[in-house]
């Protein structure tokens, strides 16, 4: 009886995962290869012909956003750990988490207002005399998408990195300070290597999250090239073309699998 108790306890969770995740995923994978009642690579050929530029654009935008998110998370976590101004540290600790609680759709709307040609960003530069009104340009393109992703994901990664930095042995940091090392050198050579695993986990999770965001590319970068999620929504809503949409979804899953591979390697290394 005791042997059956464990499987019985986890069976509800397994059934939910099977019905709500595995079955739809399997149906989507099969649908990607289904072409007019037969099976083949026709949907992938059409996706390659129509959306190669968008696939490359998605990988570059998400990759660039992940790198910038990592750099900013290190900077925030580093200042929270090594900062010597208590007031500035307290203000930064209170401020940096706020974007975590803002949905992506609100982020898109906020940045449309901020980055438009006549938005708050250009208006502020014009008011300060740093920009000629006639030379003002809109940032609602790939730059706006990167800003939205970095703004939204940096607090999540910074929270993980700052927590890992706070748990480090302060002895090595104080020893480096006593030897005259600068804060930047302490951060790069002592602190970051010790929290690299936590940083990579946060970046992998952010990468996968950004790969699935639909609202930001639709609201900020509606023109071509755009992201795969917008293409999937377009194929479904305009043509009801589930085959190509499934093929694009599978391509997106393949790109995300690269990040998942890093995540699994990190977990296996920690489990040894």
């Amino acid at each position: 009886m005791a042997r059956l108790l464990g499987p019985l306890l986890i069976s509800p969770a397994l059934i939910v995962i099977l019905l709500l995740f595995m079955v739809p995923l399997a149906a989507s994978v099969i649908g990607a290869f289904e072409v007019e009642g037969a099976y083949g690579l026709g949907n992938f050929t059409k996706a390659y012909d129509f959306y190669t530029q968008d696939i490359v654009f998605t990988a570059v935008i998400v990759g660039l956003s992940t790198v910038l998110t990592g750099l900013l998370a290190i900077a925030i976590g580093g200042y929270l750990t090594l900062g010597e101004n208590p007031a500035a540290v307290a203000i930064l600790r209170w401020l940096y988490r706020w974007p975590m609680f803002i949905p992506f759709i609100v982020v898109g709307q906020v940045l449309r207002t901020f980055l438009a040609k006549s938005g708050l960003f250009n208006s502020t530069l014009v008011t300060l005399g740093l920009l000629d009104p006639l030379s003002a340009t809109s940032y609602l393109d790939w730059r706006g998408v990167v800003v939205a992703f970095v703004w939204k994901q940096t607090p999540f990664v910074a929270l993980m990195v700052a927590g890992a930095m706070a748990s480090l042995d302060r002895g090595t940091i104080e020893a480096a300070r006593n030897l005259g090392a600068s804060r930047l050198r302490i951060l790069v050579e002592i602190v970051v290597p010790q929290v690299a695993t936590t940083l990579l986990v946060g970046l992998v999770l952010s990468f996968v999250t950004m790969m699935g965001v639909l609202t930001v590319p639709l609201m900020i970068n509606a023109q071509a090239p755009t992201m795969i999620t917008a293409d999937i929504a377009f194929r479904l809503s305009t043509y009801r073309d589930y085959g190509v949409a499934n093929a694009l979804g599978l391509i997106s899953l393949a790109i995300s699998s690269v990040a998942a591979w890093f995540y699994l390697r990190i977990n296996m290394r920690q489990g040894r």
Side-chain angles (χ1 to χ4, degrees):
M1 185 63 185
R3 293 181 178 179
L4 296 176
L5 186 59
L8 285 175
L9 289 175
I10 64 172
S11 59
L14 289 177
I15 292 172
V16 169
I17 293 173
L18 182 66
L19 294 179
L20 300 183
F21 178 72
M22 297 305 295
V23 170
L25 177 63
S28 180
V29 172
I30 294 172
F33 293 94
E34 191 172 359
V35 184
E36 298 178 353
Y39 292 96
L41 298 176
N43 292 322
F44 291 92
T45 303
K46 191 182 290 185
Y48 177 79
D49 292 338
F50 290 169
Y51 301 113
T52 300
Q53 192 177 18
D54 292 349
I55 294 169
V56 175
F57 178 81
T58 300
V60 171
I61 289 297
V62 175
L64 176 62
S65 301
T66 303
V67 172
L68 294 177
T69 297
L71 293 176
L72 287 175
I74 291 172
I76 292 173
Y79 192 79
L80 293 178
T81 305
L82 304 174
E84 297 176 349
N85 186 328
V89 170
I91 292 172
L92 179 62
R93 180 176 289 115
W94 183 73
L95 278 179
Y96 86 91
R97 305 178 187 181
W98 280 95
M100 255 192 330
F101 305 100
I102 300 175
F104 271 108
I105 190 170
V106 179
V107 172
Q109 179 58 34
V110 168
L111 290 181
R112 279 193 67 84
T113 306
F114 185 71
L115 298 175
K117 184 175 181 178
S118 57
L120 182 61
F121 181 66
N122 281 333
S123 300
T124 303
L125 294 180
V126 170
T127 303
L128 295 175
L130 301 175
L131 180 68
D132 183 5
L134 296 177
S135 60
T137 59
S138 172
Y139 296 95
L140 298 179
D141 49 22
W142 67 271
R143 294 169 294 186
V145 176
V146 171
V147 171
F149 283 163
V150 173
W151 190 67
K152 182 70 174 70
Q153 290 303 121
T154 293
F156 169 70
V157 181
L159 184 66
M160 297 178 64
V161 171
M165 289 180 177
S167 65
L168 295 178
D169 180 10
R170 301 286 301 186
T172 54
I173 297 174
E174 296 303 326
R177 275 181 171 158
N178 292 336
L179 292 172
S182 66
R183 280 187 291 177
L184 179 61
R185 187 172 182 183
I186 294 173
L187 177 65
V188 173
E189 297 185 5
I190 296 177
V191 175
V192 171
Q194 296 186 69
V195 300
T197 300
T198 303
L199 174 65
L200 285 175
V201 170
L203 293 179
V204 166
L205 297 177
S206 292
F207 184 92
V208 175
T209 299
M210 290 185 284
M211 282 295 299
V213 175
L214 171 63
T215 53
V216 168
L218 284 181
M219 297 180 71
I220 294 180
N221 182 50
Q223 68 273 16
T226 188
M227 295 188 64
I228 296 177
T229 49
D231 294 330
I232 294 174
F234 175 74
R235 298 304 301 189
L236 292 175
S237 61
T238 304
Y239 296 109
R240 299 184 68 80
D241 187 353
Y242 289 91
V244 174
N246 285 329
L248 288 170
L250 206 56
I251 292 171
S252 178
L253 180 62
I255 297 173
S256 299
S257 297
V258 177
W261 180 76
F262 279 106
Y263 180 78
L264 292 174
R265 278 183 60 87
I266 292 169
N267 281 344
M268 290 177 65
R269 194 178 302 167
Q270 286 179 329
R272 291 175 184 171

